[in-house]
Amino acid sequence: ACYGVSIVYVRQGKMQRALPVLERALGLCQDAHIPLFVPSIAAALGLVYALEGRVPAGLTLVEHGVEQAVAIGRARSLAPAIACLSETYLLANRWEDAHTRALQAVDLARQYQQRGHQAWALWLLGESAACQPSPVVEAAAGHYRQALTLAEDLGMRPLQAHCHLGLGTLYTK
């Protein structure tokens, strides 16, 4: 439950609320030797660190979370962890890595029918195309629109706002 609440805080932009919840959850999992939830929590916590400006520390933690998810064979939890990695790569200005990981997250989310994760990953594809030094306008707009359609179907209002912002910023360039 802590993880779910913290993700809501992250998507609402309330990092100061998400941070203590995720740090405590990660500590509890590590102390109690419960590796099952460590990958997802570590990836989310790393993203929060990166969003707060601690990009190197965040990237290290997100990469660790993805590695752990792969190591314990949690394929169903890979899409959100890889999406966190893609978003963190964006914050680190690693456009190609962000794009590659967003594509991977979209594929995994489709494979496991995780439409919400698919919508976020499509937004990340839009971001990775739009934020490059030479933006790929048509591709970015297409990904934003796909993400927006899915977000509207699922009632994901924060993502809808991100998509509208992305499209608006893209068209002002």
Side-chain angles (χ1 to χ4, degrees), residues 35-128:
L36 187 63
F37 301 113
V38 169
S40 299
I41 295 168
L45 180 58
L47 176 59
V48 170
Y49 285 165
L51 287 166
E52 287 202 319
R54 297 185 275 171
V55 176
L59 188 54
T60 299
L61 195 52
V62 176
E63 287 173 336
H64 173 72
V66 170
E67 289 168 7
Q68 290 295 323
V70 170
I72 62 176
R74 298 256 349 219
R76 287 190 166 278
S77 67
L78 270 176
I82 290 173
C84 286
L85 183 56
S86 174
E87 194 166 350
T88 306
Y89 281 148
L90 282 173
L91 295 167
N93 299 325
R94 292 174 56 179
W95 320 118
E96 290 302 319
D97 291 331
H99 181 77
T100 299
R101 291 305 187 150
L103 280 172
Q104 187 180 12
V106 168
D107 290 343
L108 284 165
R110 282 184 180 145
Q111 179 182 348
Y112 292 105
Q113 300 174 358
Q114 299 168 331
R115 295 177 70 215
H117 295 307
Q118 180 183 346
W120 278 106
L122 285 166
W123 170 75
L124 286 166
L125 277 175
E127 288 288 289
S128 67

Side-chain angles (χ1 to χ4, degrees), residues 2-3 8 31 38 46 55 59 72-73 82 121 132 154 164 166 173:
C2 294
Y3 171 74
V8 171
D31 292 347
V38 169
V55 176
L59 188 54
I72 62 176
I82 290 173
Q132 293 183 24
L154 298 172
H164 285 297
K173 288 181 183 178

Side-chain angles (χ1 to χ4, degrees), residues 160-171:
Q160 291 173 40
H162 283 294
C163 292
H164 285 297
L165 177 63
L167 283 166
T169 303
L170 186 65
Y171 290 137

